[in-house]
Coordinates of all heavy atoms in Angstrom, one line a residue:
M1291 N -4.1 15.9 21.6 CA -3.3 14.7 21.5 C -3.5 14.1 20.0 O -4.6 14.0 19.5 CB -3.8 13.7 22.5 CG -2.9 12.5 22.6 SD -3.3 11.5 24.1 CE -4.1 10.1 23.3
S1292 N -2.4 13.7 19.5 CA -2.4 13.2 18.1 C -2.9 11.7 18.1 O -2.5 11.0 19.0 CB -1.0 13.3 17.5 OG -0.9 12.6 16.3
R1293 N -3.6 11.4 17.1 CA -4.1 10.0 17.0 C -3.1 9.1 16.2 O -3.3 7.9 16.1 CB -5.5 9.9 16.3 CG -6.5 10.5 17.3 CD -7.9 10.1 16.8 NE -8.0 8.7 16.5 CZ -8.8 8.3 15.5 NH1 -9.6 9.1 14.8 NH2 -8.9 7.0 15.3
Q1294 N -2.1 9.8 15.6 CA -1.1 9.0 14.8 C -0.3 8.1 15.7 O 0.1 8.5 16.8 CB -0.2 10.0 14.1 CG -0.9 10.6 12.9 CD 0.2 11.4 12.0 OE1 1.2 11.7 12.5 NE2 -0.2 11.6 10.8
R1295 N 0.0 6.9 15.2 CA 0.9 6.0 15.9 C 2.3 6.5 15.7 O 2.7 7.0 14.7 CB 0.7 4.6 15.4 CG -0.6 4.0 15.8 CD -0.6 2.5 15.6 NE -0.3 2.1 14.3 CZ -0.2 0.8 13.9 NH1 -0.2 -0.2 14.9 NH2 0.1 0.4 12.7
A1296 N 3.2 6.2 16.7 CA 4.6 6.5 16.5 C 5.2 5.7 15.4 O 4.8 4.5 15.2 CB 5.3 6.3 17.8
M1297 N 6.2 6.2 14.7 CA 6.8 5.5 13.6 C 7.4 4.2 14.1 O 7.3 3.2 13.3 CB 7.9 6.4 13.0 CG 8.4 5.9 11.7 SD 7.2 5.8 10.4 CE 7.4 7.3 9.6
E1298 N 7.9 4.1 15.3 CA 8.5 2.8 15.8 C 7.4 1.8 15.8 O 7.6 0.6 15.5 CB 9.1 3.0 17.2 CG 10.2 4.0 17.3 CD 9.7 5.5 17.4 OE1 8.8 5.7 18.2 OE2 10.1 6.3 16.7
K1299 N 6.2 2.2 16.3 CA 5.1 1.2 16.4 C 4.7 0.8 15.0 O 4.4 -0.4 14.7 CB 3.9 1.9 17.0 CG 4.0 2.0 18.5 CD 2.8 1.3 19.2 CE 3.0 1.0 20.6 NZ 3.0 2.2 21.4
I1300 N 4.6 1.7 14.0 CA 4.2 1.4 12.7 C 5.1 0.4 12.1 O 4.7 -0.6 11.4 CB 4.1 2.7 11.8 CG1 3.1 3.6 12.3 CG2 3.9 2.4 10.3 CD1 3.1 5.0 11.7
M1301 N 6.4 0.6 12.3 CA 7.5 -0.2 11.6 C 7.5 -1.6 12.2 O 8.2 -2.5 11.6 CB 8.8 0.5 11.7 CG 8.9 1.8 10.8 SD 8.3 1.6 9.1 CE 9.6 0.7 8.4
V1302 N 6.9 -1.9 13.3 CA 6.9 -3.3 13.8 C 5.5 -3.9 13.7 O 5.3 -5.1 14.0 CB 7.4 -3.3 15.3 CG1 8.9 -2.9 15.3 CG2 6.6 -2.5 16.2
S1303 N 4.5 -3.1 13.3 CA 3.1 -3.7 13.2 C 2.9 -4.5 12.0 O 3.5 -4.2 10.9 CB 2.1 -2.7 13.4 OG 2.3 -1.6 12.5
E1304 N 2.1 -5.5 12.1 CA 1.8 -6.4 11.0 C 1.0 -5.7 9.9 O 1.2 -5.9 8.7 CB 1.1 -7.7 11.5 CG 1.0 -8.7 10.5 CD 0.3 -10.0 11.0 OE1 0.0 -10.1 12.2 OE2 0.0 -10.9 10.1
Y1305 N 0.0 -4.9 10.4 CA -0.9 -4.2 9.5 C -0.8 -2.7 9.7 O -0.6 -2.2 10.8 CB -2.3 -4.6 9.7 CG -2.6 -6.0 9.2 CD1 -2.5 -7.1 10.1 CD2 -2.9 -6.3 7.9 CE1 -2.8 -8.4 9.7 CE2 -3.1 -7.6 7.4 CZ -3.0 -8.6 8.3 OH -3.3 -9.9 7.9
V1306 N -0.9 -2.0 8.6 CA -0.9 -0.5 8.7 C -2.0 0.1 7.9 O -2.6 -0.6 7.0 CB 0.4 0.1 8.1 CG1 1.6 -0.3 9.0 CG2 0.7 -0.4 6.7
S1307 N -2.4 1.3 8.2 CA -3.4 2.0 7.4 C -2.8 2.7 6.2 O -1.6 2.8 6.1 CB -4.1 3.1 8.3 OG -3.1 4.1 8.5
I1308 N -3.7 3.2 5.3 CA -3.2 3.9 4.1 C -2.4 5.1 4.5 O -1.4 5.5 3.9 CB -4.3 4.1 3.1 CG1 -3.7 4.5 1.7 CG2 -5.3 5.1 3.6 CD1 -4.7 4.5 0.6
G1309 N -2.9 5.8 5.6 CA -2.2 7.0 6.1 C -0.8 6.7 6.6 O 0.1 7.5 6.4
E1310 N -0.7 5.6 7.2 CA 0.6 5.1 7.7 C 1.5 4.8 6.6 O 2.7 5.0 6.6 CB 0.5 4.0 8.7 CG -0.2 4.5 10.0 CD -0.6 3.4 11.0 OE1 -0.8 2.2 10.5 OE2 -0.8 3.7 12.1
L1311 N 0.9 4.2 5.5 CA 1.7 3.8 4.3 C 2.3 5.1 3.7 O 3.4 5.1 3.2 CB 0.9 3.1 3.3 CG 0.7 1.6 3.5 CD1 -0.3 1.0 2.5 CD2 2.0 0.8 3.5
V1312 N 1.5 6.2 3.7 CA 1.9 7.4 3.1 C 3.2 7.9 3.9 O 4.2 8.3 3.3 CB 0.8 8.5 3.3 CG1 1.4 9.9 3.0 CG2 -0.3 8.2 2.3
R1313 N 3.1 7.8 5.2 CA 4.3 8.2 6.1 C 5.5 7.3 5.8 O 6.6 7.9 5.8 CB 3.9 8.2 7.5 CG 2.9 9.2 7.9 CD 2.4 9.1 9.3 NE 3.4 9.3 10.3 CZ 3.3 8.9 11.6 NH1 2.2 8.2 12.0 NH2 4.3 9.0 12.4
I1314 N 5.4 6.0 5.7 CA 6.5 5.2 5.6 C 7.1 5.0 4.2 O 8.2 4.6 4.0 CB 6.3 3.8 6.3 CG1 5.1 3.0 5.7 CG2 6.2 3.9 7.8 CD1 4.8 1.7 6.4
T1315 N 6.3 5.3 3.2 CA 6.8 5.1 1.8 C 7.1 6.4 1.1 O 7.8 6.4 0.1 CB 5.7 4.3 0.9 OG1 4.6 5.1 0.8 CG2 5.4 3.0 1.5
G1316 N 6.5 7.5 1.6 CA 6.7 8.8 0.9 C 5.8 9.0 -0.3 O 5.9 10.0 -1.0
C1317 N 4.9 8.0 -0.5 CA 4.0 8.1 -1.6 C 2.8 9.0 -1.2 O 2.5 9.1 -0.1 CB 3.4 6.7 -2.0 SG 4.5 5.7 -3.0
R1318 N 2.2 9.6 -2.2 CA 1.0 10.5 -1.9 C -0.2 9.6 -1.6 O -0.3 8.5 -2.2 CB 0.7 11.4 -3.1 CG 1.9 12.4 -3.2 CD 1.7 13.5 -4.3 NE 0.4 13.5 -5.0 CZ 0.2 13.7 -6.3 NH1 1.3 13.8 -7.0 NH2 -0.9 13.8 -6.8
Y1319 N -1.1 10.1 -0.8 CA -2.3 9.4 -0.5 C -3.1 9.0 -1.7 O -3.5 7.9 -1.9 CB -3.2 10.2 0.5 CG -4.5 9.6 0.9 CD1 -4.5 8.7 2.0 CD2 -5.6 9.8 0.1 CE1 -5.7 8.1 2.3 CE2 -6.8 9.2 0.5 CZ -6.8 8.3 1.6 OH -8.0 7.7 2.0
S1320 N -3.2 10.0 -2.6 CA -4.0 9.8 -3.9 C -3.3 8.6 -4.7 O -4.0 7.9 -5.3 CB -4.1 11.0 -4.7 OG -2.8 11.6 -5.0
T1321 N -2.0 8.6 -4.7 CA -1.3 7.5 -5.5 C -1.6 6.2 -4.9 O -1.9 5.2 -5.6 CB 0.2 7.8 -5.4 OG1 0.5 9.1 -6.0 CG2 1.0 6.7 -6.2
L1322 N -1.5 6.0 -3.5 CA -1.8 4.8 -2.9 C -3.2 4.3 -3.1 O -3.5 3.2 -3.3 CB -1.4 4.8 -1.4 CG 0.1 5.0 -1.2 CD1 0.4 5.1 0.3 CD2 0.9 3.9 -1.8
K1323 N -4.1 5.3 -3.0 CA -5.6 5.0 -3.2 C -5.8 4.5 -4.6 O -6.5 3.5 -4.8 CB -6.4 6.3 -2.9 CG -7.8 6.0 -2.7 CD -8.5 7.1 -1.9 CE -10.0 6.9 -1.8 NZ -10.4 5.6 -1.4
F1324 N -5.1 5.1 -5.6 CA -5.2 4.7 -7.0 C -4.7 3.3 -7.1 O -5.4 2.4 -7.8 CB -4.5 5.7 -7.9 CG -4.4 5.3 -9.3 CD1 -5.6 5.3 -10.1 CD2 -3.2 4.8 -9.9 CE1 -5.5 4.9 -11.4 CE2 -3.2 4.4 -11.2 CZ -4.3 4.5 -12.0
Y1325 N -3.5 3.0 -6.6 CA -3.0 1.7 -6.7 C -3.9 0.6 -6.0 O -4.1 -0.5 -6.6 CB -1.6 1.6 -5.9 CG -0.5 2.3 -6.6 CD1 0.7 2.6 -5.9 CD2 -0.6 2.8 -7.9 CE1 1.8 3.3 -6.5 CE2 0.5 3.5 -8.5 CZ 1.7 3.7 -7.8 OH 2.7 4.4 -8.4
T1326 N -4.5 1.0 -4.9 CA -5.5 0.1 -4.3 C -6.7 -0.1 -5.2 O -7.1 -1.3 -5.4 CB -5.9 0.7 -2.9 OG1 -4.8 1.0 -2.1 CG2 -6.8 -0.2 -2.2
E1327 N -7.2 0.9 -5.7 CA -8.4 0.8 -6.6 C -8.1 0.0 -7.9 O -8.9 -0.7 -8.4 CB -8.9 2.2 -7.0 CG -9.7 2.9 -5.8 CD -9.9 4.4 -6.0 OE1 -9.5 4.9 -7.0 OE2 -10.4 5.0 -5.0
E1328 N -6.8 0.1 -8.3 CA -6.4 -0.7 -9.5 C -6.1 -2.1 -9.2 O -5.7 -2.9 -10.1 CB -5.2 0.0 -10.1 CG -5.5 1.3 -10.9 CD -6.4 1.1 -12.1 OE1 -6.1 0.2 -12.9 OE2 -7.3 1.8 -12.2
G1329 N -6.2 -2.5 -7.9 CA -5.9 -3.9 -7.5 C -4.4 -4.2 -7.3 O -4.1 -5.4 -7.3
L1330 N -3.6 -3.2 -7.3 CA -2.2 -3.4 -7.1 C -1.7 -3.6 -5.7 O -0.7 -4.2 -5.4 CB -1.4 -2.2 -7.7 CG -1.5 -2.0 -9.2 CD1 -0.9 -0.7 -9.6 CD2 -0.9 -3.1 -10.0
L1331 N -2.5 -3.1 -4.8 CA -2.2 -3.3 -3.3 C -3.4 -4.1 -2.7 O -4.5 -3.7 -2.8 CB -2.0 -2.0 -2.6 CG -1.0 -1.0 -3.2 CD1 -1.0 0.3 -2.4 CD2 0.4 -1.7 -3.1
S1332 N -3.1 -5.2 -2.0 CA -4.1 -5.9 -1.4 C -4.3 -5.5 0.1 O -3.3 -5.0 0.7 CB -3.9 -7.4 -1.5 OG -2.6 -7.7 -0.9
F1333 N -5.5 -5.6 0.6 CA -5.8 -5.2 2.0 C -6.8 -6.1 2.6 O -7.5 -6.8 1.8 CB -6.2 -3.7 2.0 CG -7.4 -3.4 1.2 CD1 -8.7 -3.6 1.8 CD2 -7.4 -3.1 -0.1 CE1 -9.9 -3.3 1.0 CE2 -8.5 -2.9 -0.9 CZ -9.8 -3.0 -0.3
E1334 N -7.0 -6.0 3.8 CA -8.1 -6.6 4.5 C -9.0 -5.5 5.0 O -8.5 -4.4 5.4 CB -7.6 -7.4 5.7 CG -6.8 -8.7 5.2 CD -6.3 -9.5 6.4 OE1 -6.7 -9.3 7.5 OE2 -5.3 -10.3 6.1
Q1335 N -10.3 -5.7 5.1 CA -11.2 -4.7 5.5 C -12.1 -5.2 6.7 O -12.7 -6.2 6.6 CB -12.0 -4.2 4.3 CG -12.7 -2.9 4.5 CD -13.1 -2.3 3.2 OE1 -13.1 -2.9 2.2 NE2 -13.4 -1.0 3.3
E1336 N -12.1 -4.4 7.7 CA -13.0 -4.7 8.8 C -14.3 -4.1 8.5 O -14.5 -2.9 8.3 CB -12.4 -4.1 10.1 CG -11.1 -4.7 10.6 CD -10.5 -4.0 11.8 OE1 -11.0 -3.0 12.2 OE2 -9.5 -4.6 12.3
E1337 N -15.4 -5.0 8.6 CA -16.7 -4.5 8.2 C -17.2 -3.4 9.1 O -17.9 -2.5 8.6 CB -17.7 -5.7 8.2 CG -17.4 -6.6 7.0 CD -18.3 -7.8 6.9 OE1 -19.4 -7.7 7.3 OE2 -17.8 -8.8 6.5
E1338 N -17.0 -3.5 10.4 CA -17.6 -2.5 11.3 C -17.3 -1.0 10.9 O -18.1 -0.2 10.8 CB -17.2 -2.7 12.8 CG -17.1 -4.1 13.3 CD -15.8 -4.7 13.0 OE1 -14.8 -4.3 13.6 OE2 -15.7 -5.7 12.2
N1339 N -16.0 -0.8 10.8 CA -15.6 0.6 10.5 C -15.0 0.8 9.1 O -14.6 1.9 8.7 CB -14.6 1.1 11.6 CG -13.4 0.3 11.6 OD1 -13.1 -0.6 10.8 ND2 -12.6 0.5 12.6
L1340 N -15.0 -0.2 8.3 CA -14.5 -0.2 6.9 C -13.1 0.3 6.7 O -12.7 0.7 5.7 CB -15.5 0.7 6.0 CG -16.9 0.2 6.0 CD1 -17.8 1.1 5.1 CD2 -17.0 -1.2 5.4
T1341 N -12.3 0.2 7.8 CA -10.9 0.6 7.7 C -10.1 -0.5 7.0 O -10.2 -1.6 7.3 CB -10.3 0.8 9.1 OG1 -11.1 1.8 9.8 CG2 -8.9 1.2 9.0
R1342 N -9.4 0.0 6.0 CA -8.6 -1.0 5.2 C -7.2 -1.1 5.9 O -6.6 -0.2 6.3 CB -8.3 -0.4 3.8 CG -9.5 -0.4 3.0 CD -9.3 0.3 1.7 NE -10.5 0.2 0.8 CZ -10.6 0.7 -0.4 NH1 -9.5 1.3 -0.9 NH2 -11.7 0.6 -1.1
K1343 N -6.9 -2.4 6.1 CA -5.6 -2.7 6.8 C -4.7 -3.4 5.7 O -5.1 -4.3 5.1 CB -5.8 -3.6 7.9 CG -6.6 -3.1 9.1 CD -6.6 -4.0 10.3 CE -6.9 -5.4 9.9 NZ -7.0 -6.3 11.1
F1344 N -3.5 -2.8 5.6 CA -2.6 -3.4 4.6 C -1.5 -4.1 5.3 O -0.9 -3.7 6.3 CB -1.9 -2.2 3.8 CG -2.9 -1.4 3.0 CD1 -3.6 -0.4 3.6 CD2 -3.1 -1.7 1.6 CE1 -4.5 0.3 2.8 CE2 -4.0 -1.0 0.9 CZ -4.7 0.0 1.5
P1345 N -1.1 -5.4 4.8 CA 0.0 -6.1 5.4 C 1.3 -5.3 5.2 O 1.6 -5.1 4.0 CB 0.0 -7.4 4.8 CG -0.9 -7.3 3.5 CD -1.7 -6.1 3.7
R1346 N 1.9 -4.8 6.2 CA 3.0 -3.8 6.1 C 4.1 -4.2 5.2 O 4.4 -3.5 4.2 CB 3.5 -3.4 7.5 CG 4.6 -2.3 7.4 CD 5.1 -2.0 8.8 NE 5.6 -3.1 9.5 CZ 6.8 -3.8 9.4 NH1 7.6 -3.3 8.5 NH2 7.0 -4.8 10.1
E1347 N 4.7 -5.3 5.5 CA 5.9 -5.7 4.7 C 5.6 -6.0 3.3 O 6.3 -5.5 2.4 CB 6.6 -7.0 5.4 CG 7.3 -6.6 6.7 CD 8.1 -7.8 7.3 OE1 8.5 -8.7 6.5 OE2 8.2 -7.8 8.5
K1348 N 4.6 -6.8 3.0 CA 4.2 -7.2 1.7 C 3.8 -5.9 0.9 O 4.2 -5.8 -0.3 CB 3.0 -8.1 1.7 CG 2.7 -8.8 0.4 CD 1.6 -9.8 0.7 CE 0.6 -9.9 -0.5 NZ -0.6 -10.5 -0.2
T1349 N 3.1 -5.0 1.5 CA 2.7 -3.8 0.8 C 3.9 -2.9 0.5 O 3.9 -2.3 -0.6 CB 1.6 -3.1 1.6 OG1 0.5 -4.0 1.9 CG2 1.0 -1.9 0.8
M1350 N 4.8 -2.7 1.5 CA 5.9 -1.9 1.2 C 6.8 -2.4 0.1 O 7.3 -1.7 -0.8 CB 6.8 -1.8 2.5 CG 6.1 -0.9 3.6 SD 7.1 -0.8 5.1 CE 8.6 -0.1 4.6
Q1351 N 6.9 -3.7 0.1 CA 7.7 -4.4 -1.0 C 7.0 -4.1 -2.4 O 7.6 -3.8 -3.4 CB 7.7 -5.9 -0.7 CG 8.9 -6.6 -1.0 CD 8.9 -8.0 -0.5 OE1 8.1 -8.4 0.3 NE2 9.8 -8.8 -1.0
R1352 N 5.7 -4.3 -2.4 CA 4.9 -4.1 -3.6 C 5.0 -2.6 -4.1 O 5.2 -2.4 -5.3 CB 3.4 -4.4 -3.3 CG 2.4 -4.2 -4.4 CD 2.7 -4.8 -5.8 NE 2.8 -6.3 -5.8 CZ 1.8 -7.1 -6.1 NH1 0.6 -6.7 -6.2 NH2 2.1 -8.4 -6.1
I1353 N 5.0 -1.7 -3.2 CA 5.1 -0.2 -3.5 C 6.4 0.0 -4.1 O 6.6 0.7 -5.1 CB 4.8 0.7 -2.3 CG1 3.3 0.6 -2.0 CG2 5.2 2.1 -2.6 CD1 2.9 1.2 -0.6
T1354 N 7.5 -0.6 -3.6 CA 8.8 -0.4 -4.1 C 8.9 -0.9 -5.5 O 9.5 -0.3 -6.4 CB 9.9 -1.1 -3.2 OG1 9.8 -0.6 -1.9 CG2 11.3 -1.0 -3.7
E1355 N 8.3 -2.1 -5.7 CA 8.3 -2.7 -7.1 C 7.6 -1.8 -8.1 O 8.1 -1.6 -9.2 CB 7.5 -4.0 -7.1 CG 8.2 -5.3 -6.6 CD 7.3 -6.5 -6.6 OE1 7.3 -7.2 -7.6 OE2 6.6 -6.7 -5.6
I1356 N 6.4 -1.3 -7.7 CA 5.7 -0.4 -8.5 C 6.5 0.9 -8.9 O 6.5 1.3 -10.0 CB 4.3 0.0 -7.9 CG1 3.4 -1.3 -7.7 CG2 3.6 1.0 -8.8 CD1 2.2 -1.1 -6.9
K1357 N 7.1 1.5 -7.8 CA 7.9 2.7 -8.0 C 9.0 2.4 -9.0 O 9.3 3.2 -9.9 CB 8.5 3.1 -6.7 CG 7.7 4.0 -5.8 CD 8.5 4.4 -4.6 CE 7.7 5.3 -3.6 NZ 8.5 5.6 -2.4
E1358 N 9.7 1.3 -8.9 CA 10.8 0.9 -9.8 C 10.3 0.8 -11.2 O 10.9 1.3 -12.1 CB 11.5 -0.3 -9.3 CG 12.4 -0.1 -8.0 CD 12.9 -1.3 -7.4 OE1 12.6 -2.5 -7.9 OE2 13.6 -1.2 -6.4
L1359 N 9.2 0.1 -11.4 CA 8.6 -0.1 -12.7 C 8.2 1.2 -13.3 O 8.3 1.4 -14.5 CB 7.5 -1.2 -12.7 CG 7.9 -2.6 -12.3 CD1 6.8 -3.4 -12.0 CD2 8.7 -3.2 -13.5
R1360 N 7.6 2.1 -12.5 CA 7.1 3.4 -13.0 C 8.3 4.2 -13.4 O 8.3 4.9 -14.5 CB 6.4 4.2 -11.9 CG 5.0 3.6 -11.5 CD 4.0 3.6 -12.6 NE 3.5 5.0 -12.8 CZ 3.0 5.4 -13.9 NH1 3.0 4.7 -15.0 NH2 2.6 6.7 -14.0
E1361 N 9.4 4.1 -12.7 CA 10.6 4.9 -13.0 C 11.2 4.4 -14.3 O 11.8 5.2 -15.1 CB 11.7 4.8 -11.9 CG 11.4 5.7 -10.7 CD 12.2 5.4 -9.5 OE1 13.2 4.6 -9.6 OE2 11.8 5.8 -8.4
K1362 N 11.0 3.1 -14.6 CA 11.5 2.6 -15.9 C 10.5 2.9 -17.1 O 10.7 2.4 -18.2 CB 11.7 1.1 -15.8 CG 12.8 0.7 -14.9 CD 13.0 -0.8 -14.7 CE 14.0 -1.2 -13.7 NZ 13.9 -2.5 -13.2
G1363 N 9.4 3.6 -16.7 CA 8.5 4.0 -17.8 C 7.3 3.1 -18.0 O 6.6 3.2 -19.0
S1364 N 7.1 2.1 -17.1 CA 6.0 1.1 -17.3 C 4.7 1.8 -17.0 O 4.6 2.6 -16.0 CB 6.2 -0.1 -16.4 OG 7.3 -0.8 -16.8
S1365 N 3.7 1.5 -17.7 CA 2.3 2.0 -17.5 C 1.7 1.1 -16.4 O 2.1 0.0 -16.1 CB 1.5 1.9 -18.7 OG 1.3 0.5 -19.1
I1366 N 0.6 1.7 -15.8 CA -0.1 0.9 -14.7 C -0.7 -0.4 -15.3 O -0.5 -1.5 -14.7 CB -1.2 1.8 -14.1 CG1 -0.6 2.9 -13.2 CG2 -2.1 0.9 -13.2 CD1 0.3 2.5 -12.0
P1367 N -1.3 -0.4 -16.5 CA -1.8 -1.7 -17.0 C -0.7 -2.7 -17.2 O -0.9 -3.9 -16.9 CB -2.5 -1.3 -18.3 CG -2.8 0.1 -18.2 CD -1.8 0.7 -17.3
H1368 N 0.5 -2.2 -17.6 CA 1.6 -3.1 -17.9 C 2.1 -3.7 -16.5 O 2.4 -4.9 -16.4 CB 2.7 -2.4 -18.6 CG 3.9 -3.2 -18.9 ND1 5.2 -3.0 -18.4 CD2 4.0 -4.4 -19.7 CE1 6.0 -4.0 -18.8 NE2 5.3 -4.8 -19.6
I1369 N 2.2 -2.8 -15.5 CA 2.7 -3.2 -14.2 C 1.7 -4.2 -13.6 O 2.1 -5.3 -13.1 CB 2.8 -2.0 -13.2 CG1 3.9 -1.1 -13.7 CG2 3.0 -2.4 -11.8 CD1 4.0 0.3 -13.0
K1370 N 0.4 -4.0 -13.8 CA -0.6 -4.9 -13.3 C -0.4 -6.3 -13.9 O -0.4 -7.3 -13.2 CB -2.0 -4.4 -13.8 CG -3.1 -4.5 -12.8 CD -4.3 -4.1 -13.5 CE -5.2 -3.3 -12.6 NZ -6.4 -2.9 -13.2
Q1371 N -0.1 -6.4 -15.2 CA 0.1 -7.6 -15.9 C 1.4 -8.3 -15.4 O 1.3 -9.5 -15.1 CB 0.3 -7.4 -17.4 CG -0.9 -7.2 -18.2 CD -0.5 -7.0 -19.7 OE1 0.4 -6.4 -20.1 NE2 -1.4 -7.6 -20.6
M1372 N 2.4 -7.6 -15.2 CA 3.7 -8.1 -14.7 C 3.5 -8.7 -13.3 O 4.0 -9.8 -13.0 CB 4.8 -7.1 -14.7 CG 5.2 -6.7 -16.1 SD 6.4 -5.3 -16.1 CE 7.8 -6.1 -15.3
L1373 N 2.8 -7.9 -12.4 CA 2.7 -8.4 -11.0 C 1.8 -9.6 -10.9 O 2.0 -10.5 -10.1 CB 2.1 -7.2 -10.2 CG 3.1 -6.0 -10.0 CD1 2.4 -4.9 -9.2 CD2 4.4 -6.4 -9.3
E1374 N 0.7 -9.6 -11.8 CA -0.1 -10.8 -11.8 C 0.6 -12.1 -12.3 O 0.4 -13.2 -11.8 CB -1.4 -10.5 -12.6 CG -2.4 -9.7 -11.8 CD -3.6 -9.2 -12.6 OE1 -3.8 -9.8 -13.7 OE2 -4.3 -8.3 -12.1
A1375 N 1.5 -11.8 -13.2 CA 2.3 -13.0 -13.8 C 3.3 -13.5 -12.7 O 3.6 -14.7 -12.8 CB 3.0 -12.5 -15.0
N1376 N 3.7 -12.7 -11.8 CA 4.7 -13.1 -10.8 C 4.1 -13.6 -9.5 O 4.8 -13.8 -8.6 CB 5.6 -11.9 -10.5 CG 6.5 -11.5 -11.6 OD1 6.7 -12.3 -12.5 ND2 6.9 -10.3 -11.6
R1377 N 2.7 -13.7 -9.5 CA 2.1 -14.2 -8.2 C 2.4 -15.6 -7.9 O 2.5 -16.5 -8.7 CB 0.6 -14.0 -8.3 CG 0.2 -12.6 -7.9 CD -1.2 -12.5 -7.7 NE -1.5 -11.0 -7.4 CZ -2.6 -10.5 -7.4 NH1 -3.7 -11.2 -7.6 NH2 -2.8 -9.2 -7.2

């Protein structure tokens, strides 16, 4: 039995895992992990199991923004500056 949640469940849940973000955004796991480590994606962490939970809508929006900026040739440090300025 698969432990993955059905896509319908993922698309209505408030929080998603990084693995689920990979499925719904088409981004690679390593890319999302890098964005998280760079502080571009915010998450909540449960202490017991250290699972990072990402607010689905806000994170999907942020990933779209980052993708668009990357396509325009922006560097990660530049994107970071722009996103922090827009908070």
Side-chain angles (χ1 to χ4, degrees):
M1291 192 168 105
S1292 172
R1293 288 194 50 212
Q1294 286 190 337
R1295 292 196 298 173
M1297 193 59 97
E1298 303 79 51
K1299 281 241 168 63
I1300 294 170
M1301 294 310 287
V1302 295
S1303 51
E1304 189 178 353
Y1305 289 96
V1306 292
S1307 69
I1308 194 165
E1310 290 168 343
L1311 280 174
V1312 168
R1313 291 174 62 200
I1314 58 182
T1315 64
C1317 282
R1318 292 183 8 222
Y1319 180 87
S1320 56
T1321 302
L1322 295 178
K1323 194 154 176 51
F1324 174 71
Y1325 290 166
T1326 303
E1327 286 163 3
E1328 287 294 313
L1330 295 171
L1331 302 177
S1332 57
F1333 60 88
E1334 291 179 18
Q1335 198 158 15
E1336 293 175 352
E1337 287 177 35
E1338 318 87 67
N1339 59 10
L1340 299 178
T1341 302
R1342 293 175 175 180
K1343 297 188 309 181
F1344 297 83
R1346 183 181 52 81
E1347 286 184 28
K1348 189 173 146 198
T1349 306
M1350 285 175 63
Q1351 222 171 340
R1352 174 57 58 91
I1353 291 168
T1354 301
E1355 279 179 90
I1356 296 168
K1357 275 185 181 176
E1358 288 169 359
L1359 291 166
R1360 292 292 287 151
E1361 283 166 15
K1362 291 177 184 163
S1364 293
S1365 66
I1366 292 296
H1368 183 242
I1369 291 171
K1370 221 187 220 181
Q1371 281 181 322
M1372 289 174 67
L1373 294 175
E1374 282 174 15
N1376 293 340
R1377 276 193 185 169

